[in-house]
Amino acid sequence: MVLYKEIPPCPALAPFVACLWTCRLIPPVSHRVLPDNCIDILWQDGGAGGSVAGMMSCAIEVATARPVRTIAVRFKPGAAAHFFSLPLHELADQHPPLDDVWGAGASPAFDEALWSRPLSDDQALAKLQHMLLRRVASVARPGLAEAALGAIERSHGALRIETLAKSLGVSRQHLASQFRIRVGLGAKQFARVCRFREASARIRATPAEQLDWSRLALDLGYYDQAHLIHEFRALSGSTPESFAAQRS
C-alpha cells in the first residue's frame, strides 16, 4: 500500500519548491517512479540521514520490504541550483547521501528536527520548510539556462534545441553545457521528459474510448504514433496503451 500526500510550499519557498510530500509504504509493495524533471531530497524514518534524488532520465522501480515513512521536498525544474553548489548534472540518475552534497553535519540537523519526537505529517513538513529556508542561497538573476528551461516548458518539450539556441544567440553546445550544469539534464533530454509528462497527463485526463493515439502524437510534436510509443517506452518502461490501462 502506498499512502502519498502533497502540500504546496510557503510563499517564501514557492519560487523554488514544487511541493513538499509525505509517503507511507506498507509492504510488500513495488511501485514505478517516472521521470519528472525535478530533484528531490528525501528523509526516511529508520534511515541514515537524508538522500538526494537527482533528475531521472528514465523510470525506476522501487521495492520496499519494511514499512517506511518518507518526508520530502521536490524542487521545481532548475530551482535546485539555489540549494546545491555543485553542477547539477553530477546528480543525474544518482541518489547520494545528503551529507555528500551539503557536507558532513547536514543530515543530523534535519534528522533531529524530523525524527527526534513523533510529529504528524503537517508538523514534519512545517519543520522541513523552516529548515529549508535556512539553506536557500541568494537568488541570482535568471540566466541562459533559466530562459531555455522556460521556453522548453512552455512548448511542452516540442521546441527543437537547435531553434532554441539560435533564438537565444548561443551555440547548441554552449546551451547544452550551461543547461546541464544549472538544471541537471541536457536540454534535449529535459525536453524529452517534458513531452513525456505532457503525454502522460493527457492520457490520464482523457477517457480511454476517446484516446486518439495518432492525434496525440502529432499534437505533441512526435513524428508519428510509432515515435510516441518508442519515446514513452524508453522513459516509462511501458507503452502508452499499457499506461492508459493501468490508469483505469
Side-chain angles (χ1 to χ4, degrees), residues 27-100:
V29 62
S30 177
H31 65 288
R32 181 171 296 177
V33 181
L34 302 178
D36 60 3
N37 277 340
C38 295
I39 292 176
D40 291 35
I41 306 177
L42 299 81
W43 291 267
Q44 294 182 333
D45 60 339
S51 63
V52 180
M55 275 194 180
M56 299 161 52
S57 60
C58 61
I60 61 171
E61 290 287 339
V62 177
T64 302
R66 67 171 182 86
V68 175
R69 181 188 182 200
T70 302
I71 307 295
V73 57
R74 177 171 300 130
F75 298 104
K76 291 180 176 179
H82 298 291
F83 292 81
F84 299 101
S85 59
L86 79 171
L88 292 185
H89 68 270
E90 295 182 10
L91 299 174
D93 292 313
Q94 302 297 315
H95 296 83
L98 184 59
D99 279 352
D100 288 358

Side-chain angles (χ1 to χ4, degrees), residues 205-230:
T206 305
E209 66 275 9
Q210 296 180 20
L211 282 168
D212 183 332
W213 298 112
S214 296
R215 173 60 62 87
L216 177 65
L218 294 177
D219 283 351
L220 295 178
Y222 293 103
Y223 299 130
D224 50 27
Q225 185 176 342
H227 186 205
L228 165 65
I229 293 171
H230 177 271

